[in-house]
Amino acid sequence: MSELTIAKRLEELGIVLPRASEPAARYANFVQAGSLLFISGKGPAGNPKGKLGLQFTTEEGYYFARQAGIEILAVVRSALGSLDRVKRVVKLQGFVNAVPHFEEHHLVLNGCSDLMLDVFLEKGLHARSVLGAASVRANLPIVIDSIFEVEE
């Protein structure tokens, strides 16, 4: 898929990528090792605070995961100069800030997974894991890190 096609696809989806967010502490926003690009954990825009199953519903969590995915794409574009260099989404790992009895972590992370499939089509199909967390930085509802295979 060419950058023009990805740009058109983003436009069709109504997605405008923001400027890449900066790291929240002392670490790199991304690291490239050979053909793998590792994106540090990203949360949703606006820094909402709270837990799934307490302040937020699964549906709201899905939206937050999608927002975090948009933040991830902005960093990928910043790192590579072009989303056209993405060969595939390799893995997403979500950390859902949730109450102990919350059981829909997988449905929350679908917000980011669906975004990657919408944007990259078959190249967006990825492995993933999702974990419930007693807490995450800044009391965000979700933080997602990711790995992409890229053209060197």
Side-chain angles (χ1 to χ4, degrees):
M1 183 179 292
S2 71
E3 180 65 25
L4 181 61
T5 303
I6 291 174
K8 183 175 186 217
R9 186 82 178 135
L10 289 172
E11 186 178 321
E12 288 171 358
L13 294 168
I15 297 169
V16 176
L17 295 183
R19 193 172 135 247
S21 59
E22 296 296 322
R26 193 170 181 192
Y27 56 86
N29 223 6
F30 63 88
V31 171
Q32 186 170 348
S35 65
L36 295 179
L37 180 68
F38 298 82
I39 306 298
S40 294
K42 294 294 169 189
N47 295 315
K49 297 188 181 305
K51 290 187 176 289
L52 276 290
L54 186 59
Q55 286 87 8
F56 301 119
T57 65
T58 299
E59 293 76 21
E60 289 169 312
Y62 177 97
Y63 173 75
F64 293 141
R66 185 173 178 86
Q67 282 187 315
I70 289 170
E71 294 288 322
I72 289 167
L73 292 177
V75 173
V76 171
R77 183 182 65 185
S78 173
L80 301 175
S82 169
L83 290 176
D84 192 43
R85 291 186 53 207
V86 172
K87 286 177 136 179
R88 82 166 301 143
V89 181
V90 176
K91 183 165 186 186
L92 300 177
Q93 183 168 339
F95 299 89
V96 178
N97 187 7
V99 296
H101 63 274
F102 187 76
E103 296 182 352
E104 297 184 327
H105 307 77
H106 61 296
L107 299 176
V108 169
L109 191 56
N110 279 347
C112 189
S113 292
D114 289 348
L115 174 70
M116 295 303 161
L117 288 163
D118 288 346
V119 171
F120 295 109
L121 303 175
E122 68 278 351
K123 295 190 306 185
L125 188 60
H126 53 272
R128 74 176 207 181
S129 55
V130 61
L131 305 166
S135 68
V136 299
R137 74 172 167 80
N139 199 28
L140 293 171
I142 188 166
V143 173
I144 303 169
D145 63 37
S146 52
I147 304 169
F148 294 80
E149 181 184 15
V150 301
E151 294 177 7
E152 293 187 62

